[in-house]
């Protein structure tokens, strides 16, 4: 039984569906060779990290200022990475909007006391709080711009987690954008809200779908629950034609959290334990995801370029990644802008698959991309 969104067929792809019909999936998400002739076929994967998204936003702005921002054929995003992804996809001309979204004080306002749930919703904050944070920056102009790039063969993909099936769901945001109009803009926003709905912090986002003529609702939460970051939908990792498409490509990964362990005493109170547990979960899951990414890149002879949030008091104390304090996010953003302009900003791990402990060590001494 295959559920569909009425009027938006073929805009999402489950791993199971891709595995059942690999050719169909490849056709749906493939990049026309003519669209990228003469250019490198670059992929950008942007991770989650809650307030750490200020880092990824700052990196993109810094790369623009340095004149070294790559063109990306494919951009994927999860959680806060999903919110960054449309701006990364559309390019430097959208940097002002991206910057305002992350350090304009909107997160602190939307996720302040006024955004707290009265206790009737399954989340600390109300759904409307996240909607108020996202909707002003994702309008019909942005959606139309995504549609135009999609027509050229580029792809913008966002992951959510379908709680009912306990599986990741990959959304082709360009395909949504192509439909145009108010409904397309609303669905585009809804997918971003769902991908950023961290369980416990926000309630699940519900999508009305139909299967065999029966309508029902699916509950979707943060894509990071099942896919901390993804380079491409799982089934396409084994697409034989992929290697030829990406012969001149490079994979870039932006990790919006601290990868290195930061030993320190944890206060024995509920908020401190929850925050520390959340930060630890992110570190471990992203290390594992990077190990998988490295294996993929080695198999296809692709350079892997990684950047992650450096350890600092702003990143690991006073709420860590769950603190949306504007001053702290601005500090993270400004430091990312400055560091991204350095010639040796990106790090490339070793050329062989390694356990994630060795992988992490290789970030410090790896060769830099040209």
């Amino acid at each position: 039984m295959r559920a569909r969104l009425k009027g938006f067929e073929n805009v999402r792809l489950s791993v199971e569906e891709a595995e059942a019909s690999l050719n169909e999936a490849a056709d749906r998400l493939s990049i026309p060779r003519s669209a990228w002739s003469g250019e490198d076929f670059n992929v950008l994967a942007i991770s989650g990290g809650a307030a750490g998204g200020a880092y990824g936003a700052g990196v993109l702005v810094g790369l623009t200022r340095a004149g070294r921002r790559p063109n990306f054929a494919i951009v994927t995003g999860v959680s806060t990475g999903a919110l960054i992804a449309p701006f990364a996809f559309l390019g430097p001309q959208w940097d002002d909007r991206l910057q305002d979204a992350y350090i304009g004080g909107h997160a602190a306002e939307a996720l302040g006391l006024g955004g707290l749930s009265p206790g009737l919703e399954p989340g600390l904050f109300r759904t409307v709080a996240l909607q108020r944070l996202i909707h002003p920056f994702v309008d019909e102009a942005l959606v139309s711009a995504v549609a135009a790039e999609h027509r050229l063969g580029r792809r913008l993909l966002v992951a959510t987690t379908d709680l009912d099936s306990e599986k990741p769901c990959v959304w082709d945001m360009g395909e949504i954008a192509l439909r145009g109009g108010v409904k397309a803009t609303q669905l585009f926003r809804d997918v971003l809200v769902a991908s950023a709905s961290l369980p416990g912090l926000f309630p699940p986002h519900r999508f009305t779908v139909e299967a065999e003529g029966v309508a029902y609702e699916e509950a979707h939460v943060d894509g990071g629950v099942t896919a901390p970051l993804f380079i491409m939908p799982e089934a396409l990792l084994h697409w034989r034609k992929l290697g030829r498409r990406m012969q001149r490509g490079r994979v870039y990964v932006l990790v919006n959290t601290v990868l290195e362990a930061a030993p320190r005493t944890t206060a024995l109170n509920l908020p401190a334990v929850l925050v520390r547990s959340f930060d630890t979960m992110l570190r471990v899951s992203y290390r594992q995801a990077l190990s998988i990414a490295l294996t993929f890149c080695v198999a296809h002879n692709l350079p892997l370029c990684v950047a992650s949030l450096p350890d600092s008091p702003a990143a690991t104390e006073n709420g860590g990644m769950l603190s949306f304090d504007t001053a702290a996010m601005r500090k993270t953003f400004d430091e990312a802008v400055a560091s991204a302009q350095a010639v040796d900003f990106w790090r490339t791990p070793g050329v062989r698959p390694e356990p994630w402990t060795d992988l992490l060590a290789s970030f410090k001494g790896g060769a830099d991309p040209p």
Side-chain angles (χ1 to χ4, degrees):
M1 182 174 67
R2 182 174 180 177
R4 63 187 185 89
L5 280 81
K6 190 174 182 180
F8 287 92
E9 292 78 11
N10 300 326
V11 301
R12 62 183 192 165
L13 180 68
S14 72
V15 172
E16 183 177 77
E17 290 166 347
E19 291 173 348
S21 181
L22 184 57
N23 288 334
E24 178 186 351
D27 289 341
R28 189 185 309 168
L29 296 177
S30 63
I31 311 297
R33 186 182 298 273
S34 60
W36 289 93
S37 58
E39 290 193 43
D40 290 344
F41 188 102
N42 296 316
V43 176
L44 172 65
I46 313 175
S47 83
Y55 172 76
V59 166
L60 291 170
V61 172
L63 291 172
T64 296
R65 294 180 183 177
R68 289 195 301 272
R69 181 158 161 182
N71 292 319
F72 301 108
I74 298 176
V75 176
T76 73
V78 177
S79 194
T80 193
L83 309 187
I84 297 171
F87 302 103
F89 181 73
L90 292 176
Q93 61 270 35
W94 293 81
D95 280 0
D96 288 345
R97 188 178 294 196
L98 173 62
Q99 179 171 334
D100 185 29
Y102 273 89
I103 62 171
H106 307 285
E109 181 179 350
L111 304 179
L113 293 177
L116 290 173
S117 168
L120 301 178
E121 294 189 67
L124 180 62
F125 292 97
R126 295 176 295 170
T127 300
V128 69
L130 193 52
Q131 292 171 338
R132 287 173 179 168
L133 179 60
I134 293 173
H135 287 196
F137 300 98
V138 180
D139 53 18
E140 288 195 36
L142 181 143
V143 174
S144 295
V146 169
E149 294 302 315
H150 182 85
R151 291 188 188 97
L152 295 177
R154 301 175 66 217
R155 293 295 181 264
L156 172 62
L157 308 175
V158 165
T160 62
T161 296
D162 181 349
L163 276 185
D164 300 320
S165 67
E166 296 185 328
K167 294 179 180 178
C169 182
V170 177
W171 300 77
D172 187 340
M173 304 302 283
E175 189 66 29
I176 294 174
L178 279 181
R179 311 302 167 93
V182 175
K183 290 185 177 180
T185 299
Q186 185 58 50
L187 180 58
F188 198 103
R189 290 168 167 172
D190 287 345
V191 172
L192 297 183
V193 168
S195 187
S197 292
L198 183 67
L201 204 61
F202 300 103
H205 189 84
R206 296 188 174 274
F207 293 94
T208 300
V209 298
E210 185 178 287
E212 298 183 351
V214 178
Y216 67 97
E217 288 187 330
E218 289 178 351
H220 286 242
V221 296
D222 194 319
V225 172
T226 50
L229 66 90
F230 68 99
I231 298 175
M232 288 184 190
E234 185 174 321
L236 293 187
L237 297 182
H238 306 292
W239 185 27
R240 292 183 179 180
K241 296 179 181 178
L242 184 65
R244 292 196 297 273
R245 289 287 178 94
M246 300 187 70
Q247 281 179 351
R248 299 181 58 205
R250 188 179 294 273
V251 174
Y252 294 84
V253 176
L254 268 179
V255 182
N256 292 303
T257 191
V258 179
L259 286 174
E260 298 183 46
R264 53 175 55 91
T265 301
T266 302
L268 296 181
N269 58 68
L270 181 59
V273 170
L274 288 176
V275 168
R276 187 67 170 166
S277 298
F278 174 71
D279 287 350
T280 301
M281 177 193 70
L282 284 180
R283 285 189 182 92
V284 173
S285 64
Y286 289 137
R287 289 169 187 162
Q288 294 171 337
L290 280 170
S291 181
I292 294 171
L294 179 59
T295 300
F296 165 74
C297 289
V298 169
H300 291 89
N301 196 28
L302 291 169
L304 173 62
C305 305
V306 180
S308 64
L309 180 62
D311 187 16
S312 69
T316 55
E317 297 178 0
N318 302 318
M321 297 295 95
L322 295 180
S323 172
F324 295 93
D325 174 71
T326 301
M329 292 180 70
R330 182 179 292 277
K331 187 173 189 299
T332 297
F333 177 90
D334 289 343
E335 290 176 351
V337 170
S339 64
Q341 295 182 64
V343 175
D344 60 349
F345 172 68
W346 294 103
R347 288 302 182 190
T348 301
V351 295
R352 61 183 180 87
E354 301 166 317
W356 58 260
T357 50
D358 293 336
L359 172 68
L360 187 61
S362 71
F363 289 153
K364 298 179 180 179
D368 300 317

